[in-house]
Amino acid sequence: MTDAAPRHKRSGLFAPIGLFLIALAVWSGWWFYLAHQVQTRLVAQVEAMRGSGWTVAYTGLGTSGWPFRVRLEAGNVSITAPSGHALAAPQLAAEANAWNPDKWVIAADDGLVLNRAGKGKVAIGAPYIRASVHGLSQRWPNLAVELQQPVFTVHQGAEVFPISRAGKIEFYLRPHLAPSTTPGVENSVDVLFRLIDAEGRPGGPVEGMARNGKLTAQIETVVEDANRLQGADAAGIFSAWTRAGGRFTAVRGELSAGDSAATLSSDVLSATPDGRLQGTVALQARQPMAAIAGLAGSGSGAVNRAGAAGATAAAAVQGNEDVNLSLVFREGRTFLGPFALAPAPKLF
C-alpha cells in the first residue's frame, strides 16, 4: 500500500499577494497625502505672493502621476511682479519623484511670454524649456534653468530684444561654496550664466559685434547678501539689495563674438541707486577691433557711435595683437578707456 502524497496548504500562495496589496495601500496613502500637501502648500504660497503685491493667475490646477511621481499641471499661468515684469505660459507642469519630493523639474513645453516692464512682450519658443530645483530644505536651494534653441519674437508695439535666437541658454544658482568660517558665506550664492551661439537681431548691437557671426558668453560670480534680494516695490528685488550695499564679487567670464574673443574679470561690481551697474572689468581681448567696429556700425540707438568710433580707432593701433583693456561702468555709462560706448547695464 503506497502512502498518499502530502497536500500543501493554498494559503501560502496568497501571502505574497496579501503583502503586495498591503504595501500598495500604504504607498497609495502616502502618494495621496503627498499630492494633497504639495497642492495645499502651492496654493498657500500663491496667496502669500498675492499679499506681497504679486499678481498670480492660472486655470485648471490638477495633480497626477500616481504611483511613482507627483505632477502638478496648470494652464494660462501668469506671474506678474510688483515691478511690472511678468512671465506667462499657456501650460506649465512641475514633477517630482514621490520618494524624493525635494527635487522638482518644471517644464514649459508650449513656450513662454516675457513681459518687460515698460518695454513690452517677447515670446520665447524652444523645443526644450526646463528648470530644476532641489535642496528645498536648504537656506538656498540649487536651481538650474535650460533653454535649448530658443527663438525670441517681439510682440507688436514692443521694444526690440537684443537677440533673435540662440543655441542654448543656461542659468545656475547654488549656495556659495566656501569654508563655513568665510564672512558672509551663509548669505551668498554662486551664479553661472551661459549664452551659447546667440544671433543678434538685424541691425542690432549683438549682430554688429559678431559681424554676422555668433555671440557666446559665460559669466560666473558670487552674489553677496543674497538674503536681501527681496521686496515688493516697483523697482524689483534688486532695489533693496542695492540699497543695502549688495555686491557681485569674483566675477569671471569669457566672451566670443565672431573673430573677437575676450576673458574678463572683476573683483567687485555693484549698482547705483537707479540700478545701473558700476565698477571696473578687466578684459584680455583678442582681435577686439572687429567687434568694436561692428558695434559702432550697428543701428542700435543705445550705442554711442562717436565713442565706439573712437574706441575702434584706438583698437586699430593695436592691430590684431592681444590687448589688455578696462571696461568701466560709471555715471550710468559704459566706458572703454576714455570712450563712452553705451549705457551701463541696468539691473532694475
Side-chain angles (χ1 to χ4, degrees), residues 59 71 73-77 87-94 106-114 122-130 146-151 153 155:
T59 60
R71 180 181 176 88
E73 292 183 85
N76 304 309
V77 180
L87 195 64
Q91 193 73 22
L92 209 58
I106 304 168
D109 292 332
D110 295 329
L112 298 168
V113 176
L114 173 65
V122 56
I124 307 172
Y128 184 94
I129 301 177
R130 295 289 186 275
E146 182 179 344
L147 292 80
Q148 292 186 5
Q149 300 177 356
V151 176
T153 305
H155 285 205

Side-chain angles (χ1 to χ4, degrees), residues 242-303:
T242 298
R243 291 195 301 267
R247 308 186 305 171
F248 300 108
T249 60
V251 182
R252 301 291 182 270
E254 298 177 356
L255 301 171
S256 65
D259 295 328
S260 302
T263 58
L264 60 88
S265 63
S266 178
D267 292 333
V268 178
L269 291 175
S270 58
T272 59
D274 65 350
R276 296 285 181 183
L277 206 62
Q278 63 180 359
T280 300
V281 176
L283 297 173
Q284 185 176 22
R286 186 183 75 245
Q287 300 184 28
M289 187 178 71
I292 299 173
L295 182 66
S298 72
S300 174
V303 175

Side-chain angles (χ1 to χ4, degrees), residues 162-167 196-201 206-207 213-215:
I163 61 176
S164 60
R165 63 182 66 241
I196 301 172
D197 290 340
E199 299 178 18
R201 61 177 177 82
V206 173
E207 184 186 67
K214 295 181 179 180
L215 171 68

Side-chain angles (χ1 to χ4, degrees), residues 2-29:
T2 59
D3 296 333
R7 300 183 63 183
H8 298 282
K9 293 183 178 180
R10 294 181 179 271
S11 59
L13 298 176
F14 296 104
I17 298 176
L19 291 175
F20 170 77
L21 293 175
I22 293 172
L24 180 62
V26 172
W27 178 260
S28 296

Side-chain angles (χ1 to χ4, degrees), residues 292-293 295-298 300-314 333-336 338-342:
I292 299 173
L295 182 66
S298 72
S300 174
V303 175
N304 183 334
R305 296 192 181 184
T312 301
R333 294 183 292 175
T334 301
F335 291 84
L336 186 60
F339 306 104
L341 300 180

